[in-house]
Amino acid sequence: LVSGVGTPRNWTHSINGNSTRACAELMELFINTLYPDVTVVKIHSDTNIFRWEENITFATQELMPCIDSYRDAHARNEPYPDEIASMNGHSGMERNEFNPDWKQSVSVTYSFADGSAA
């Protein structure tokens, strides 16, 4: 889940008032309740979501590397980043046998758009 903040038009308002972080946390609770086997990964952008350049910087420096780390782990049949964090020194997780056709089970599309179409 990707969340972020935007600079408010009224400079007396808090930037946290324009944050979608609470919505992402609520969505995580909802997903975990309905689909307990799904791992939710949250990434929050503290840059201004209303600025194209800042969105691109966030996507290229934070979002895409996170997605790439999951794709690469899948391709190498290695533990996913969240699995490594949850292992806490315990090895022996059961994994599916490596599938050389892994590209058939991973599909990621990046779309950088601006304006109302975004």
Side-chain angles (χ1 to χ4, degrees):
L1 297 173
V2 177
S3 61
V5 297
T7 304
R9 291 183 183 186
N10 184 332
W11 293 100
T12 63
H13 293 173
S14 169
I15 194 167
N16 292 328
N18 273 352
S19 176
T20 58
R21 182 180 291 211
C23 183
E25 291 173 3
L26 191 59
M27 289 174 67
E28 179 183 30
L29 289 171
F30 180 77
I31 293 168
N32 287 337
T33 300
L34 293 178
Y35 307 99
D37 294 335
V38 171
T39 299
V40 176
V41 178
K42 293 184 298 186
I43 302 176
H44 182 73
S45 171
D46 286 317
T47 61
N48 186 0
I49 61 172
F50 300 130
R51 299 281 179 237
W52 166 261
E53 298 82 15
E54 293 183 42
N55 272 330
I56 296 300
T57 299
F58 167 74
T60 57
Q61 293 182 1
E62 295 181 53
L63 179 61
M64 291 169 66
C66 180
I67 293 170
D68 291 346
S69 68
Y70 278 84
R71 182 209 54 222
D72 294 347
H74 183 73
R76 294 183 188 121
N77 195 35
E78 297 175 350
Y80 296 120
D82 60 275
E83 292 175 333
I84 293 170
S86 67
M87 277 188 212
N88 293 329
H90 296 70
S91 58
M93 291 184 68
E94 287 190 31
R95 300 198 51 78
N96 294 333
E97 186 175 323
F98 177 70
N99 182 351
D101 293 328
W102 65 269
K103 290 182 182 181
Q104 301 302 318
S105 61
V106 173
S107 177
V108 177
T109 302
Y110 297 110
S111 175
F112 297 110
D114 191 16
S116 59

